[in-house]
Amino acid sequence: MPELPEVETIARGLASRVTGDFIESVWLGSKPEPLKSSAAEIAATLQSRRIADVHRMGKHIVFELVGEGRRARRSGAKAQWIVHLGMTGSMLVCKPDAEIAKHTHAVVKLASGRELRFVDPRRFGRLSVARDFDAGGCEPLDVKLDRFISLFHGRKTPIKSALLNQKLLRGVGNIYADESLFRAGIRPRRRAASLTRENLRRLYKSVQEVLKEAISLGGSSVSDYVDSDGQEGSFQLQHRVYGREGERCRACKKVIKRVVIAGRSSHYCPRCQK
Ligand SMILES: [Zn+2]
C-alpha cells in the first residue's frame, strides 16, 4: 500500500504535469467499489473544471479544481477531487491512443489531449469529490514537536499501533513506522505511554527524517507501486529493518526480528531498539 512518501511522489508528478489543464469529459467504470461519491456527482464536479493544483493530504491525492465563466458563478468556483490509491491503485497520465489497461475505473480527458487514468486491480482505492476535504489527524511533516508528543501521551497501545493510527498522524504506514522506530532506537511493542519526552523527541526527528529521505528517493517500491510516470521509487534499498527478517542489522549485526502487532508485521533489531 502506498504510504506518505509514495503518495507525495505521485502527487508531485501529477502536479507538474496536469496543473492548469482543463477537464473536458469524464468516464467512470461500472464497478461500484472505487466510487465513494456517486458517479453522477463525480462526473458533474470534474467536468469543465480547471486543475488549479494537485497535492497530497495524508495518503490522499487532492486535485484542486476551479470553475470558469458561467459555471464559476452558478455552482461555486471551487471543488476537490479526492483520490485514495488503496492497495494497488495508480493514477497515470496517458496519451489518448495508449491502450486502456485492464482494471481501469476512470478516464478523465484533458484539453491538452492527454488522459488521467485510474487503474486499480484490487479495488481498494477510492474516488470522491469534496469542497473542503479534511483527511483527519496531523500531517507528520508539519506537526510541531509539542503537538507530536501530546498525540502519544498516556496511550496504552504499542507505539507501533499509535504510529499507524491515522487519527493521530496521517500517512505513516507499516514501512515508515518500522524504519522510524529503528532510527529512534525504540521497540515497536513499547507502550506509547512508557516513552519519555526524549524518546518521543527522537521519534519525532526520525519520522520526519525517514519520510523526507523516502520522498527524495521517490518512495519505496514494494508490491506494484509506480508513480504517475510508471517509475519505481528506490527507498526500499535504504530499509534497515522493514522486510529484512532473518537478515543482519546493518548497525550491530544482530538478526532482525519480526513480530505481529495488531495484525501487522513489525520488524526490529533486538539490540539497537529498546
Ligand atoms: Zn542492530
Side-chain angles (χ1 to χ4, degrees):
M1 173 175 303
E3 300 183 25
L4 188 154
E6 292 81 40
V7 180
E8 178 73 27
T9 303
I10 294 164
R12 286 182 187 182
L14 290 168
S16 72
R17 302 167 77 197
V18 302
T19 297
D21 217 330
F22 184 79
I23 298 173
E24 288 189 340
S25 64
V26 180
W27 172 89
L28 295 163
S30 57
K31 296 276 189 284
E33 298 92 332
L35 307 182
K36 212 174 147 196
S37 306
S38 74
E41 202 185 345
I42 294 174
T45 304
L46 267 60
Q47 210 151 335
S48 304
R49 274 202 163 91
R50 194 168 292 284
I51 300 170
D53 186 26
V54 188
H55 60 97
R56 176 193 59 78
M57 203 187 276
K59 291 186 204 174
H60 298 81
I61 301 168
V62 181
F63 289 77
E64 299 286 347
L65 308 173
V66 289
E68 292 193 336
R70 269 174 49 208
R71 160 143 202 186
R73 290 193 291 278
R74 199 174 63 235
S75 57
K78 288 189 178 177
Q80 294 166 314
W81 180 27
I82 315 296
V83 179
H84 192 282
L85 298 171
M87 306 268 291
T88 54
S90 54
M91 181 63 78
L92 302 166
V93 182
C94 301
K95 294 201 173 113
D97 54 359
E99 198 180 329
I100 304 264
K102 213 176 162 193
H103 310 297
T104 297
H105 304 292
V107 177
V108 172
K109 274 188 172 305
L110 301 172
S112 62
R114 296 167 305 167
E115 294 178 352
L116 274 167
R117 295 185 190 167
F118 179 67
V119 182
D120 187 5
R122 293 190 61 187
R123 300 203 296 272
F124 288 107
R126 294 290 178 265
L127 307 177
S128 61
V129 289
R131 278 201 184 280
D132 195 9
F133 180 65
D134 180 3
C138 291
E139 190 59 51
L141 291 174
D142 297 340
V143 65
K144 297 276 181 289
L145 175 62
D146 283 341
R147 179 89 184 96
F148 181 90
I149 289 173
S150 73
L151 292 178
F152 302 106
H153 186 79
R155 291 202 171 256
K156 295 190 174 70
T157 54
I159 184 61
K160 170 70 184 280
S161 308
L163 280 174
L164 295 181
N165 182 345
Q166 301 294 306
K167 292 185 186 122
L168 304 179
L169 284 182
R170 59 190 190 209
V172 179
N174 217 25
I175 298 175
Y176 300 102
D178 281 4
E179 293 298 313
S180 300
L181 286 167
F182 173 80
R183 292 196 194 189
I186 298 167
R187 286 202 189 192
R189 226 199 274 278
R190 281 274 297 276
R191 282 176 180 227
S194 77
L195 297 175
T196 63
R197 200 181 157 83
E198 175 54 22
N199 289 152
L200 287 168
R201 195 192 60 79
R202 281 213 313 270
L203 183 60
Y204 173 77
K205 275 192 65 182
S206 63
V207 165
Q208 296 204 341
E209 201 180 271
V210 162
L211 292 175
K212 285 179 187 165
E213 269 180 44
I215 289 169
S216 74
L217 292 171
S220 299
S221 290
V222 291
S223 91
D224 40 14
Y225 156 75
V226 289
D227 70 10
S228 60
D229 282 322
Q231 297 291 310
E232 299 186 338
S234 62
F235 187 71
Q236 70 280 7
L237 305 174
Q238 312 293 322
H239 291 176
R240 298 185 193 168
V241 285
Y242 182 83
R244 298 193 65 238
E245 181 194 6
E247 294 176 39
R248 296 203 176 269
C249 173
R250 293 187 177 133
C252 75
K253 307 292 176 220
K254 223 56 187 144
V255 172
I256 302 294
K257 284 196 167 176
R258 185 179 76 93
V259 289
V260 175
I261 298 172
R264 306 295 299 275
S265 283
S266 296
H267 310 78
Y268 71 97
C269 170
R271 184 176 287 159
C272 294
Q273 291 171 260
K274 307 274 186 250

